[in-house]
Amino acid sequence: WYFFHYGALVWSKGAGHTATVNNAGVITGQGTSALDGYGIVVISSAANASVTNSGTANAVNNGINVWSGGGNVTVDNSGNVVSQNKSGIVVADPVTGLVPSAGTSSVTNSGSVKALAGNGILTITTGNSTATNTIDGPYSALIP
């Protein structure tokens, strides 16, 4: 088993088991490979997944990455998200970034997203997807 360098990883498996992270502190994901260096990763194989960030998520790769195989995804960022090599907030699978999340997704940013080499907010879902950005600035979220 390879140990991934994530700041925080929450993974729930099975019907009805939700995955949630509420961060009000500082989380840093370090690592050098494509599978390392994620700030906050939340995966739910069959239910809802959510992140509420009022703190700071620093990452080499995606700052916040949320995916659900059978439920809805919600991300609420009022804090700071910093990604050096990938995107700030991502709703898609954290391994390839190409497998869509099931259900709907809702991403709300009223904080700061600094994606130095990727998208500010990126969502790939099989259902409806909504991204709302309520802040301006040179590094505020970009919605592709």
Side-chain angles (χ1 to χ4, degrees), residues 10-83:
V10 174
W11 188 334
S12 71
K13 184 176 180 182
H17 299 130
T18 62
T20 302
V21 168
N22 297 307
N23 177 46
V26 176
I27 291 178
T28 301
Q30 298 175 335
T32 57
S33 78
L35 297 177
D36 282 340
Y38 289 79
I40 298 172
V41 176
V42 178
I43 301 168
S44 177
S45 64
N48 296 339
S50 66
V51 171
T52 300
N53 181 51
S54 60
T56 299
N58 293 313
V60 173
N61 288 316
N62 295 337
I64 295 175
N65 206 133
V66 189
W67 182 82
S68 174
N72 299 320
V73 168
T74 304
V75 179
D76 185 5
N77 178 54
S78 61
N80 299 303
V81 178
V82 179
S83 167

